[in-house]
Amino acid sequence: MKRSLLFLGLSFALILAACNESSGDASSADGDWMPTKNIEIVAPSGAGGGWDTTARMAAKVLEEEGLIDQGIGVVNKTGGGGAVGWAYIATKKESPYNLFVTSTPMIDVPLNGQSDYDYTDFTPIANVIADYGAFAVKADSKWQTLNDLFDDMKKDPTSVTVIGSSSPGSMDHLKFAKFAKEAGVDITKIKYVSEQDGGELTALLNGSVDVFSTDVSEVVEQVRAGNIRVLAVTSEERLEGETISEFPTGVEQGINTTYINWRGFFGPKDLPEDALEFYEQKFKEMTETDAWKEIRANYGWGDFFMGHEEYQEFLKEQVESSKALLDELGIVR
Amino acid sequence: MLSSQNKKVSLFLIVLGVVFVIMSVRLPEYPLVPVDADAIPIILGCLLIFLSILLFFIKDEPKDSEDSEQSEPFFNADRKMLFLFGGFILLYIVLLEWLGFLITTALFIFTSTFALGYKKHVTNIIVAIAIPIVFYYLFNYVLKISLPKGILPF
Amino acid sequence: MGVMDGILEGAKVAFSFHGILFVLMGVFLGTIIGMLPGLGPITAIGVMIPISYGMDANMALVMMAGIYYGAIFGGSTSSILLNAPGVAGTVATAFDGYPMAQQGKAGKALAIAAVSSFIGGTVGVILLMLFAPLLATVAISFGPPEYFALMLLALTAIASLSEGSTIKALISGTLGFMVAMIGIDGQTGTSRFTFGSASLLSGIDFLVIALGIFALAEVFKLIITRNDIDSGPNKNIGSIRITKSELKEMSGPASRQSVLGFLIGVLPGAGATIASFIAYITEKKIAKKPEEFGKGSIKGLTAPETANNAATSGAFVPLLSLGIPGSGTTAVLLGALMVMGIQPGPMLFTEKPDLFWGVIISMYIGNIFLLVLNLPLIPYISKLLNIPRPMLISLVTIFCLIGVYGISFNTFDLYLLLAFGIIGYLLRLVSFPAAPFILAFILGEMIEQSVRKSMTISNGSFMIFLERPITLAFLIITVLSLALPPLLGMRKKIKSIE
C-alpha cells in the first residue's frame, strides 16, 4: 500500500512539473533576446573526439565565466562523419536552443555526396578555432624540403604513398592535393591511403608509407624526439611557439597556397536574428576569456574568430576551392 | 523437394548472394586506387553462393533430443508472445524520443514483465519506476550524457 | 636522471594518499561503467575530460587509466551473466562464460574471470614496466600488410568455433563479413549498401551486432522457454569457490595468454579484441579436450579474460613511450593529457618520469583493488540470474536498448538492434552458429581495409605480402593452423588402415 502511494505521489509530481514547463518562453520582441531554458550543443561525433571536446570546453567556459546563465548540455549524435548530427539539427529549424559544432568536414562530406545537408542548410554563428595542416616524412628521409618531394613526384607520382586519417576526397587528402597541384604534380596519380584506426604514425615510422598528411598538433612531439621531419605547414605565415615556429610554410618554399581547418558553432536554418546576434556576441566574449585561451594553448588550437557575415563569405570560398580540387581529382559523386 | 530445411535456407542465401553481388558490381567506380570498393564484396557474395550450393546438398542433421526447445519453437504456443514482445520493442523505439526515456522505459518494463506472466504487480511497478530513474540520473546528471527527456521537463 | 630515480618518482605519485584515492575512484568507476550497457571506456573518459580540467595531471591520468582497465575488468560480467558483451574485448568471454553461468556456475565463472583478469592485468603491468621503452620498436613494426596477416590468423578462429557443420560456420562468417562492408569505404569514400540512409554511412556499430545477435536473440529464446522448469541448481549460483584442480587448469592459459595478450596489445590498432580471440583459438588448438570449448570450459574462459586485460596494459606502451594511441580509448586518453597541458610523445619518458612511472605503478595498485572490489561483489551480482524470468527478460532488453541508444543517440540503431536480434534468433532456428558471424564482423572491415591499403602501397602487386618477414611468418602460421589438423587426421586414418 505504502509503495503504491509513493508511486501516485511521484507521478503527480511529474505531471505538475510537466505543466510548469509550457509557461514561459523568450520575449524576442524587444531585440534583446535571452535564452530562457537550457541550451543544447550537438557534437556530431562520439564523446572524446575533436568536435565533442570543443563543444564541452565551450559549454564549460560559457557557463563558468557567467556568459550565459542557462545550462548548456552537450548531446552526441554520432555517425556518417557528421551527417547524422546534421540531419538531426535540420529538424530543429528556427530553434534558438539547438546549436552545433562543426568544422571542415561540413564542406567535404556534402561535396562527397555523403550528406544531404550542406552549410547553407544551417546558420553559421561564429568560427572560433583554426588548425593548420602539416606534411611530415621520416627523419632519415631523402627529402629535405617540400620541393624535393614534389620534384620526385613530378617524375613519378606513383613512387610516393601518402597517408592521412580522413577518407579520400576529404581534409588530409585534399590539402596534400592542393599543395601538390600548386607545385605541378599530376594529382590524379597520387597514392593516398586512408588510415582510420590511428595507425598513421606507425605506418610512417616503419616505412610502409612515405608522407603523413595531418594536423600540426599531431607531429610536434615526434619532431622534438627526432623521429620525423616536417616538410611544410599549410599556414600563410610561420606559426608561433616552441618547435612549431621552426616548421617552414609552403608559401616560403615557393608553393603559393594555404589550407586551414576551421572549427566553429552553427545554429539551425532560420535562426532568429536577435538570437544570432546574442550567440555571436557570446562566442566572441568566450574567445577573449583567459580560460578559453589556456584551453586553446593546451590543445595547440589557433585563434580564428569570424562573425556571422564574414563566416558565410569564408565558407562560400571554401566550397568553391574544394569543389575545384575534387573535380580535378576526378572524384565526382 | 524443398522438404529439407537446409535446402530452403540454401536457396534463400543464394538469392541473397546474387543480390549482394549485383549491388557490389553497381557501386560507382573510384579511379585513384588499384583495388576498388567492389572487389571484396564481390568475392564475399560469390563465396556465399558457393557455400550455399554446398549446403543445398547436405542432409539436415538430426535434431538433438536434449535441445527440445529448439525443435519446434516456431509452432510453439509461445510464438504469439514472441511477436507481442517484438511489438513492444518496436513501440518502445517509436515512443522513446517523443515521450522521453523515463516514461517509455517505465512503461516498457511494466507492460512486458506483466505480459510475460509476472504476477507481483507492486514489485513490478517499483522496479519499472526505479530502474529508469537510476539510469536517467546517472546518465544525465552524473555523466552529463543526455538521454531524451521527451515531454517531461527534467 | 636514471630509470631507477624515475621509478621512485612514480612510486611517490602512485603511493601518495591522492594517488591511491584516485586509482580507487578510477577502477571503481571503470568497473561500473564496464558493467553498464553502452558506456564504453571511451565515452566515460570523454566526459571526464572537462571535469578533470585543472586537476593535477598525474592524478587525472592515474584515474582515467583506472577507468580504462577497470572497464575491461568489469566488462566480462554482462558477457557471462547475460550473453551481452558490452565491449568487443569481452565477446570471447561469452563463448564459455555464458554456458558456465547457464549450468548454475555463474559465481564461479565470474570468479574465474576476475582472477584471470587480475593475472592478465598484473603480468601486463610487469611487462610494461620492464619493457615499455624497449617495446616501442615492436609497436611500430606493423604496417598494413602485417595487420592483414595478423587479422587473417585471428579469422581462422571461425574454423575452430564451428560446432557441427563447418559449412554452416563458414556461411555464418561470410554473412558477418558482408555486414561489415556496410558504410562508407575508407579507401575510396564510396557508400556501400547504405540504401541512402545517413545512419548507415559509418557502418553498423559492434554493439548493435553483439547485443542483437547474442543478447537479444537469447532473450527471444528465453521467452519461448520461460515456463520450462528452471534448469540447473540455482542455489549455488553465488558460490565463488575455485577448487585446486580448477586453479591448475587455469594456470596454463593464464600464464601463456598474459604474455601473448600483452604483446598483441602493444600493437596499435590490434588491442584487446584481437588478443582475446587469438588467445581463445590458441588455447583450443593446444587443449587436450578441445571439445569442451564453447560448453563452459574453464580454459576457454580463462584465456580470453587474461588476454584482454594483458592487452589493455600493452596498449599503454605506444601511448606512453611514443605518444601514439593504440586504440580508441587511448586516443581519448591522449586528448585528455593534452587538455592538461601535457604533450604525450616520445619525450614523456624522460621529461615527465613521475607521470610515466606513476601511471604504471598505479596500475599494480589498481589491479589489486579491482580484485578486492570484485570478488566480494560476485555472490550478489550473480544473483541477478535469480530474478524471475519475466522481469529478467524485460530488464535485459532494456539493458540492450540503452546500450545501443548510448552509441549514437539515434533511434535508427535501435531498429537495427531489433533486426539483428531477429536475425540472431533465425540463425539459431536453422542451427547456424552465431560466434563466427560476430568474429568475421569485427575482423572483416580491418582485413579488407588493410589488404587494400597494402595493395595501394604496392601499386597493386601481391608480392608485398611475401616480401615482408613478419607478414610472411603470420601467413605461414595461418596456413599451417588450417592445414595441419586435417593432415594429421588423415595420417591417423592411414595408420589405422595399415
Side-chain angles (χ1 to χ4, degrees), chain A residues 3 7 14 17-18 21 56 74-75 77 168 173 188 329-331, chain B residues 30-32 97 122 125-126 129 133 144 146 151-154:
Chain A
R3 283 164 170 174
F7 168 62
L14 291 186
E21 153 86 330
R56 284 178 195 275
V74 172
V75 175
K77 292 274 175 196
H173 186 199
T188 63
L329 280 168
I331 305 175
Chain B
Y30 180 85
L32 309 180
E97 290 193 338
V122 178
I125 288 176
I126 293 169
I129 292 173
I133 289 179
K144 308 236 172 216
S146 315
I151 56 173
L152 295 180
F154 47 85

PDB file of all heavy atoms in Angstrom, chain A residues 3 7 14 17-18 21 56 74-75 77 168 173 188 329-331, chain B residues 30-32 97 122 125-126 129 133 144 146 151-154:
ATOM      1  N   ARG A   3       3.777   1.500  -0.970  1.00  0.00           N
ATOM      2  CA  ARG A   3       4.531   1.623  -2.206  1.00  0.00           C
ATOM      3  C   ARG A   3       3.702   2.265  -3.315  1.00  0.00           C
ATOM      4  O   ARG A   3       4.192   3.101  -4.049  1.00  0.00           O
ATOM      5  CB  ARG A   3       4.992   0.237  -2.660  1.00  0.00           C
ATOM      6  CG  ARG A   3       6.168  -0.245  -1.847  1.00  0.00           C
ATOM      7  CD  ARG A   3       6.341  -1.709  -2.044  1.00  0.00           C
ATOM      8  NE  ARG A   3       7.601  -2.147  -1.454  1.00  0.00           N
ATOM      9  CZ  ARG A   3       7.962  -3.413  -1.369  1.00  0.00           C
ATOM     10  NH1 ARG A   3       7.171  -4.357  -1.831  1.00  0.00           N
ATOM     11  NH2 ARG A   3       9.095  -3.740  -0.826  1.00  0.00           N
ATOM     12  N   PHE A   7       4.151   5.781  -5.489  1.00  0.00           N
ATOM     13  CA  PHE A   7       4.071   5.858  -6.937  1.00  0.00           C
ATOM     14  C   PHE A   7       3.125   6.969  -7.368  1.00  0.00           C
ATOM     15  O   PHE A   7       3.438   7.788  -8.223  1.00  0.00           O
ATOM     16  CB  PHE A   7       3.594   4.507  -7.503  1.00  0.00           C
ATOM     17  CG  PHE A   7       3.219   4.583  -8.954  1.00  0.00           C
ATOM     18  CD1 PHE A   7       4.172   4.919  -9.903  1.00  0.00           C
ATOM     19  CD2 PHE A   7       1.912   4.323  -9.376  1.00  0.00           C
ATOM     20  CE1 PHE A   7       3.835   4.988 -11.236  1.00  0.00           C
ATOM     21  CE2 PHE A   7       1.578   4.414 -10.703  1.00  0.00           C
ATOM     22  CZ  PHE A   7       2.533   4.744 -11.644  1.00  0.00           C
ATOM     23  N   LEU A  14       5.429  14.489 -11.229  1.00  0.00           N
ATOM     24  CA  LEU A  14       5.880  14.558 -12.614  1.00  0.00           C
ATOM     25  C   LEU A  14       4.929  15.393 -13.450  1.00  0.00           C
ATOM     26  O   LEU A  14       5.338  16.233 -14.245  1.00  0.00           O
ATOM     27  CB  LEU A  14       5.966  13.150 -13.223  1.00  0.00           C
ATOM     28  CG  LEU A  14       7.051  12.235 -12.677  1.00  0.00           C
ATOM     29  CD1 LEU A  14       7.102  10.940 -13.478  1.00  0.00           C
ATOM     30  CD2 LEU A  14       8.405  12.930 -12.741  1.00  0.00           C
ATOM     31  N   ALA A  17       5.201  19.094 -12.697  1.00  0.00           N
ATOM     32  CA  ALA A  17       6.411  19.657 -13.285  1.00  0.00           C
ATOM     33  C   ALA A  17       6.229  19.841 -14.784  1.00  0.00           C
ATOM     34  O   ALA A  17       6.692  20.815 -15.367  1.00  0.00           O
ATOM     35  CB  ALA A  17       7.602  18.762 -12.999  1.00  0.00           C
ATOM     36  N   ALA A  18       5.529  18.894 -15.403  1.00  0.00           N
ATOM     37  CA  ALA A  18       5.309  18.970 -16.836  1.00  0.00           C
ATOM     38  C   ALA A  18       4.497  20.203 -17.202  1.00  0.00           C
ATOM     39  O   ALA A  18       4.726  20.841 -18.222  1.00  0.00           O
ATOM     40  CB  ALA A  18       4.595  17.715 -17.323  1.00  0.00           C
ATOM     41  N   GLU A  21       6.427  23.597 -17.341  1.00  0.00           N
ATOM     42  CA  GLU A  21       7.304  23.762 -18.487  1.00  0.00           C
ATOM     43  C   GLU A  21       6.775  24.717 -19.538  1.00  0.00           C
ATOM     44  O   GLU A  21       7.471  25.594 -20.014  1.00  0.00           O
ATOM     45  CB  GLU A  21       7.550  22.359 -19.101  1.00  0.00           C
ATOM     46  CG  GLU A  21       7.871  22.328 -20.565  1.00  0.00           C
ATOM     47  CD  GLU A  21       9.342  22.516 -20.808  1.00  0.00           C
ATOM     48  OE1 GLU A  21       9.976  23.196 -20.000  1.00  0.00           O
ATOM     49  OE2 GLU A  21       9.823  21.978 -21.803  1.00  0.00           O
ATOM     50  N   ARG A  56      32.272  20.603 -25.423  1.00  0.00           N
ATOM     51  CA  ARG A  56      32.252  20.510 -23.964  1.00  0.00           C
ATOM     52  C   ARG A  56      33.070  21.631 -23.320  1.00  0.00           C
ATOM     53  O   ARG A  56      32.693  22.181 -22.288  1.00  0.00           O
ATOM     54  CB  ARG A  56      32.777  19.151 -23.511  1.00  0.00           C
ATOM     55  CG  ARG A  56      31.744  18.051 -23.719  1.00  0.00           C
ATOM     56  CD  ARG A  56      32.239  16.675 -23.338  1.00  0.00           C
ATOM     57  NE  ARG A  56      31.332  15.665 -23.889  1.00  0.00           N
ATOM     58  CZ  ARG A  56      30.209  15.264 -23.292  1.00  0.00           C
ATOM     59  NH1 ARG A  56      29.881  15.752 -22.113  1.00  0.00           N
ATOM     60  NH2 ARG A  56      29.424  14.390 -23.864  1.00  0.00           N
ATOM     61  N   VAL A  74      25.763  19.126 -23.698  1.00  0.00           N
ATOM     62  CA  VAL A  74      26.330  18.637 -24.949  1.00  0.00           C
ATOM     63  C   VAL A  74      25.673  17.307 -25.295  1.00  0.00           C
ATOM     64  O   VAL A  74      25.573  16.418 -24.458  1.00  0.00           O
ATOM     65  CB  VAL A  74      27.855  18.454 -24.843  1.00  0.00           C
ATOM     66  CG1 VAL A  74      28.406  17.767 -26.087  1.00  0.00           C
ATOM     67  CG2 VAL A  74      28.528  19.792 -24.637  1.00  0.00           C
ATOM     68  N   VAL A  75      25.163  17.210 -26.516  1.00  0.00           N
ATOM     69  CA  VAL A  75      24.489  15.998 -26.960  1.00  0.00           C
ATOM     70  C   VAL A  75      25.298  15.397 -28.099  1.00  0.00           C
ATOM     71  O   VAL A  75      25.672  16.102 -29.029  1.00  0.00           O
ATOM     72  CB  VAL A  75      23.062  16.329 -27.448  1.00  0.00           C
ATOM     73  CG1 VAL A  75      22.396  15.092 -28.024  1.00  0.00           C
ATOM     74  CG2 VAL A  75      22.236  16.901 -26.313  1.00  0.00           C
ATOM     75  N   LYS A  77      25.606  13.132 -31.356  1.00  0.00           N
ATOM     76  CA  LYS A  77      24.863  12.430 -32.415  1.00  0.00           C
ATOM     77  C   LYS A  77      25.915  11.910 -33.376  1.00  0.00           C
ATOM     78  O   LYS A  77      26.400  12.643 -34.236  1.00  0.00           O
ATOM     79  CB  LYS A  77      23.910  13.381 -33.147  1.00  0.00           C
ATOM     80  CG  LYS A  77      22.755  13.877 -32.283  1.00  0.00           C
ATOM     81  CD  LYS A  77      21.588  12.918 -32.304  1.00  0.00           C
ATOM     82  CE  LYS A  77      20.496  13.369 -31.341  1.00  0.00           C
ATOM     83  NZ  LYS A  77      19.535  12.304 -31.058  1.00  0.00           N
ATOM     84  N   PRO A 168      39.292   9.477 -48.465  1.00  0.00           N
ATOM     85  CA  PRO A 168      39.710  10.125 -49.709  1.00  0.00           C
ATOM     86  C   PRO A 168      38.686  11.178 -50.132  1.00  0.00           C
ATOM     87  O   PRO A 168      37.492  10.968 -49.970  1.00  0.00           O
ATOM     88  CB  PRO A 168      39.732   8.980 -50.718  1.00  0.00           C
ATOM     89  CG  PRO A 168      39.754   7.739 -49.928  1.00  0.00           C
ATOM     90  CD  PRO A 168      39.114   8.033 -48.622  1.00  0.00           C
ATOM     91  N   HIS A 173      43.524  14.357 -47.504  1.00  0.00           N
ATOM     92  CA  HIS A 173      43.780  14.093 -48.914  1.00  0.00           C
ATOM     93  C   HIS A 173      43.782  15.407 -49.692  1.00  0.00           C
ATOM     94  O   HIS A 173      44.687  15.693 -50.461  1.00  0.00           O
ATOM     95  CB  HIS A 173      42.699  13.148 -49.445  1.00  0.00           C
ATOM     96  CG  HIS A 173      42.923  12.688 -50.851  1.00  0.00           C
ATOM     97  ND1 HIS A 173      41.911  12.175 -51.625  1.00  0.00           N
ATOM     98  CD2 HIS A 173      44.024  12.671 -51.633  1.00  0.00           C
ATOM     99  CE1 HIS A 173      42.398  11.863 -52.813  1.00  0.00           C
ATOM    100  NE2 HIS A 173      43.671  12.145 -52.847  1.00  0.00           N
ATOM    101  N   THR A 188      46.036  13.349 -59.973  1.00  0.00           N
ATOM    102  CA  THR A 188      45.174  12.169 -60.115  1.00  0.00           C
ATOM    103  C   THR A 188      45.972  10.887 -59.929  1.00  0.00           C
ATOM    104  O   THR A 188      45.414   9.800 -59.845  1.00  0.00           O
ATOM    105  CB  THR A 188      44.512  12.116 -61.508  1.00  0.00           C
ATOM    106  OG1 THR A 188      45.547  11.983 -62.488  1.00  0.00           O
ATOM    107  CG2 THR A 188      43.704  13.353 -61.782  1.00  0.00           C
ATOM    108  N   LEU A 329      40.545  15.932 -59.329  1.00  0.00           N
ATOM    109  CA  LEU A 329      40.929  14.584 -58.914  1.00  0.00           C
ATOM    110  C   LEU A 329      40.085  13.526 -59.617  1.00  0.00           C
ATOM    111  O   LEU A 329      40.400  12.340 -59.596  1.00  0.00           O
ATOM    112  CB  LEU A 329      40.743  14.427 -57.401  1.00  0.00           C
ATOM    113  CG  LEU A 329      41.843  15.015 -56.520  1.00  0.00           C
ATOM    114  CD1 LEU A 329      41.388  15.060 -55.075  1.00  0.00           C
ATOM    115  CD2 LEU A 329      43.117  14.202 -56.642  1.00  0.00           C
ATOM    116  N   GLY A 330      39.002  13.972 -60.212  1.00  0.00           N
ATOM    117  CA  GLY A 330      38.128  13.023 -60.901  1.00  0.00           C
ATOM    118  C   GLY A 330      37.175  12.326 -59.959  1.00  0.00           C
ATOM    119  O   GLY A 330      36.605  11.289 -60.282  1.00  0.00           O
ATOM    120  N   ILE A 331      37.027  12.870 -58.752  1.00  0.00           N
ATOM    121  CA  ILE A 331      36.079  12.281 -57.815  1.00  0.00           C
ATOM    122  C   ILE A 331      34.749  12.997 -57.996  1.00  0.00           C
ATOM    123  O   ILE A 331      34.544  14.089 -57.491  1.00  0.00           O
ATOM    124  CB  ILE A 331      36.551  12.423 -56.362  1.00  0.00           C
ATOM    125  CG1 ILE A 331      37.948  11.838 -56.199  1.00  0.00           C
ATOM    126  CG2 ILE A 331      35.583  11.733 -55.414  1.00  0.00           C
ATOM    127  CD1 ILE A 331      38.542  12.036 -54.835  1.00  0.00           C
TER     128      ILE A 331
ATOM    129  N   TYR B  30      35.846   4.291 -58.464  1.00  0.00           N
ATOM    130  CA  TYR B  30      36.735   5.314 -57.922  1.00  0.00           C
ATOM    131  C   TYR B  30      38.079   5.144 -58.595  1.00  0.00           C
ATOM    132  O   TYR B  30      38.667   4.072 -58.538  1.00  0.00           O
ATOM    133  CB  TYR B  30      36.839   5.139 -56.410  1.00  0.00           C
ATOM    134  CG  TYR B  30      37.736   6.128 -55.720  1.00  0.00           C
ATOM    135  CD1 TYR B  30      37.247   7.377 -55.338  1.00  0.00           C
ATOM    136  CD2 TYR B  30      39.056   5.816 -55.441  1.00  0.00           C
ATOM    137  CE1 TYR B  30      38.063   8.286 -54.699  1.00  0.00           C
ATOM    138  CE2 TYR B  30      39.883   6.731 -54.786  1.00  0.00           C
ATOM    139  CZ  TYR B  30      39.379   7.956 -54.422  1.00  0.00           C
ATOM    140  OH  TYR B  30      40.189   8.864 -53.781  1.00  0.00           O
ATOM    141  N   PRO B  31      38.558   6.171 -59.271  1.00  0.00           N
ATOM    142  CA  PRO B  31      39.694   5.975 -60.178  1.00  0.00           C
ATOM    143  C   PRO B  31      41.073   5.890 -59.522  1.00  0.00           C
ATOM    144  O   PRO B  31      42.017   5.470 -60.158  1.00  0.00           O
ATOM    145  CB  PRO B  31      39.612   7.217 -61.080  1.00  0.00           C
ATOM    146  CG  PRO B  31      38.928   8.253 -60.248  1.00  0.00           C
ATOM    147  CD  PRO B  31      38.005   7.532 -59.331  1.00  0.00           C
ATOM    148  N   LEU B  32      41.208   6.288 -58.254  1.00  0.00           N
ATOM    149  CA  LEU B  32      42.555   6.518 -57.743  1.00  0.00           C
ATOM    150  C   LEU B  32      43.179   5.356 -56.968  1.00  0.00           C
ATOM    151  O   LEU B  32      44.244   5.492 -56.404  1.00  0.00           O
ATOM    152  CB  LEU B  32      42.560   7.779 -56.863  1.00  0.00           C
ATOM    153  CG  LEU B  32      41.943   9.034 -57.481  1.00  0.00           C
ATOM    154  CD1 LEU B  32      42.019  10.203 -56.517  1.00  0.00           C
ATOM    155  CD2 LEU B  32      42.627   9.402 -58.780  1.00  0.00           C
ATOM    156  N   GLU B  97      11.904   8.883 -28.207  1.00  0.00           N
ATOM    157  CA  GLU B  97      12.313  10.283 -28.292  1.00  0.00           C
ATOM    158  C   GLU B  97      11.134  11.235 -28.158  1.00  0.00           C
ATOM    159  O   GLU B  97      11.319  12.431 -27.966  1.00  0.00           O
ATOM    160  CB  GLU B  97      13.082  10.522 -29.605  1.00  0.00           C
ATOM    161  CG  GLU B  97      14.436   9.839 -29.551  1.00  0.00           C
ATOM    162  CD  GLU B  97      15.395  10.257 -30.632  1.00  0.00           C
ATOM    163  OE1 GLU B  97      14.936  10.761 -31.671  1.00  0.00           O
ATOM    164  OE2 GLU B  97      16.610  10.057 -30.443  1.00  0.00           O
ATOM    165  N   VAL B 122       2.971  -5.040  -7.608  1.00  0.00           N
ATOM    166  CA  VAL B 122       3.570  -3.931  -6.855  1.00  0.00           C
ATOM    167  C   VAL B 122       5.086  -3.908  -7.077  1.00  0.00           C
ATOM    168  O   VAL B 122       5.665  -2.863  -7.399  1.00  0.00           O
ATOM    169  CB  VAL B 122       3.244  -4.074  -5.352  1.00  0.00           C
ATOM    170  CG1 VAL B 122       3.916  -2.948  -4.576  1.00  0.00           C
ATOM    171  CG2 VAL B 122       1.733  -4.030  -5.149  1.00  0.00           C
ATOM    172  N   ILE B 125       5.783  -2.566 -10.449  1.00  0.00           N
ATOM    173  CA  ILE B 125       5.680  -1.109 -10.569  1.00  0.00           C
ATOM    174  C   ILE B 125       6.922  -0.434  -9.987  1.00  0.00           C
ATOM    175  O   ILE B 125       7.496   0.480 -10.594  1.00  0.00           O
ATOM    176  CB  ILE B 125       4.411  -0.594  -9.833  1.00  0.00           C
ATOM    177  CG1 ILE B 125       3.171  -0.992 -10.635  1.00  0.00           C
ATOM    178  CG2 ILE B 125       4.463   0.915  -9.667  1.00  0.00           C
ATOM    179  CD1 ILE B 125       1.876  -0.619  -9.967  1.00  0.00           C
ATOM    180  N   ILE B 126       7.363  -0.930  -8.848  1.00  0.00           N
ATOM    181  CA  ILE B 126       8.518  -0.289  -8.216  1.00  0.00           C
ATOM    182  C   ILE B 126       9.755  -0.411  -9.106  1.00  0.00           C
ATOM    183  O   ILE B 126      10.459   0.571  -9.345  1.00  0.00           O
ATOM    184  CB  ILE B 126       8.793  -0.924  -6.834  1.00  0.00           C
ATOM    185  CG1 ILE B 126       7.632  -0.589  -5.915  1.00  0.00           C
ATOM    186  CG2 ILE B 126      10.101  -0.417  -6.268  1.00  0.00           C
ATOM    187  CD1 ILE B 126       7.642  -1.349  -4.632  1.00  0.00           C
ATOM    188  N   ILE B 129       9.661   1.799 -12.130  1.00  0.00           N
ATOM    189  CA  ILE B 129       9.902   3.223 -11.924  1.00  0.00           C
ATOM    190  C   ILE B 129      11.344   3.482 -11.485  1.00  0.00           C
ATOM    191  O   ILE B 129      11.992   4.416 -11.943  1.00  0.00           O
ATOM    192  CB  ILE B 129       8.915   3.785 -10.874  1.00  0.00           C
ATOM    193  CG1 ILE B 129       7.506   3.764 -11.475  1.00  0.00           C
ATOM    194  CG2 ILE B 129       9.286   5.209 -10.485  1.00  0.00           C
ATOM    195  CD1 ILE B 129       6.436   4.126 -10.498  1.00  0.00           C
ATOM    196  N   ILE B 133      14.725   5.691 -13.440  1.00  0.00           N
ATOM    197  CA  ILE B 133      15.182   6.885 -12.724  1.00  0.00           C
ATOM    198  C   ILE B 133      16.683   6.785 -12.434  1.00  0.00           C
ATOM    199  O   ILE B 133      17.435   7.736 -12.634  1.00  0.00           O
ATOM    200  CB  ILE B 133      14.374   7.086 -11.413  1.00  0.00           C
ATOM    201  CG1 ILE B 133      12.945   7.512 -11.773  1.00  0.00           C
ATOM    202  CG2 ILE B 133      15.030   8.133 -10.522  1.00  0.00           C
ATOM    203  CD1 ILE B 133      12.035   7.709 -10.586  1.00  0.00           C
ATOM    204  N   LYS B 144      26.588  13.529 -17.536  1.00  0.00           N
ATOM    205  CA  LYS B 144      26.265  14.626 -18.452  1.00  0.00           C
ATOM    206  C   LYS B 144      26.121  14.152 -19.901  1.00  0.00           C
ATOM    207  O   LYS B 144      26.560  14.809 -20.832  1.00  0.00           O
ATOM    208  CB  LYS B 144      27.337  15.726 -18.380  1.00  0.00           C
ATOM    209  CG  LYS B 144      27.617  16.193 -16.986  1.00  0.00           C
ATOM    210  CD  LYS B 144      27.426  17.683 -16.867  1.00  0.00           C
ATOM    211  CE  LYS B 144      27.535  18.082 -15.410  1.00  0.00           C
ATOM    212  NZ  LYS B 144      26.691  19.126 -14.986  1.00  0.00           N
ATOM    213  N   SER B 146      23.145  13.243 -22.393  1.00  0.00           N
ATOM    214  CA  SER B 146      21.693  13.438 -22.333  1.00  0.00           C
ATOM    215  C   SER B 146      20.900  12.288 -22.942  1.00  0.00           C
ATOM    216  O   SER B 146      21.061  11.978 -24.112  1.00  0.00           O
ATOM    217  CB  SER B 146      21.322  14.726 -23.065  1.00  0.00           C
ATOM    218  OG  SER B 146      22.200  15.757 -22.702  1.00  0.00           O
ATOM    219  N   ILE B 151       8.492  14.568 -22.997  1.00  0.00           N
ATOM    220  CA  ILE B 151       7.514  15.553 -22.555  1.00  0.00           C
ATOM    221  C   ILE B 151       7.728  15.969 -21.112  1.00  0.00           C
ATOM    222  O   ILE B 151       7.073  16.877 -20.619  1.00  0.00           O
ATOM    223  CB  ILE B 151       6.074  15.026 -22.737  1.00  0.00           C
ATOM    224  CG1 ILE B 151       5.905  13.696 -22.008  1.00  0.00           C
ATOM    225  CG2 ILE B 151       5.726  14.866 -24.208  1.00  0.00           C
ATOM    226  CD1 ILE B 151       4.496  13.198 -21.989  1.00  0.00           C
ATOM    227  N   LEU B 152       8.626  15.301 -20.400  1.00  0.00           N
ATOM    228  CA  LEU B 152       8.893  15.714 -19.030  1.00  0.00           C
ATOM    229  C   LEU B 152       9.890  16.877 -19.046  1.00  0.00           C
ATOM    230  O   LEU B 152      10.723  16.965 -19.936  1.00  0.00           O
ATOM    231  CB  LEU B 152       9.472  14.550 -18.219  1.00  0.00           C
ATOM    232  CG  LEU B 152       8.539  13.359 -18.007  1.00  0.00           C
ATOM    233  CD1 LEU B 152       9.229  12.297 -17.188  1.00  0.00           C
ATOM    234  CD2 LEU B 152       7.270  13.806 -17.309  1.00  0.00           C
ATOM    235  N   PRO B 153       9.823  17.741 -18.027  1.00  0.00           N
ATOM    236  CA  PRO B 153      10.661  18.936 -18.070  1.00  0.00           C
ATOM    237  C   PRO B 153      12.078  18.726 -17.540  1.00  0.00           C
ATOM    238  O   PRO B 153      12.851  19.668 -17.515  1.00  0.00           O
ATOM    239  CB  PRO B 153       9.899  19.903 -17.173  1.00  0.00           C
ATOM    240  CG  PRO B 153       9.196  19.022 -16.200  1.00  0.00           C
ATOM    241  CD  PRO B 153       8.878  17.747 -16.918  1.00  0.00           C
ATOM    242  N   PHE B 154      12.420  17.541 -17.045  1.00  0.00           N
ATOM    243  CA  PHE B 154      13.764  17.394 -16.474  1.00  0.00           C
ATOM    244  C   PHE B 154      14.472  16.185 -17.033  1.00  0.00           C
ATOM    245  O   PHE B 154      13.853  15.349 -17.681  1.00  0.00           O
ATOM    246  CB  PHE B 154      13.680  17.277 -14.945  1.00  0.00           C
ATOM    247  CG  PHE B 154      12.655  16.310 -14.453  1.00  0.00           C
ATOM    248  CD1 PHE B 154      12.966  14.941 -14.348  1.00  0.00           C
ATOM    249  CD2 PHE B 154      11.380  16.737 -14.133  1.00  0.00           C
ATOM    250  CE1 PHE B 154      12.022  14.046 -13.919  1.00  0.00           C
ATOM    251  CE2 PHE B 154      10.432  15.831 -13.690  1.00  0.00           C
ATOM    252  CZ  PHE B 154      10.747  14.491 -13.591  1.00  0.00           C
TER     253      PHE B 154
END
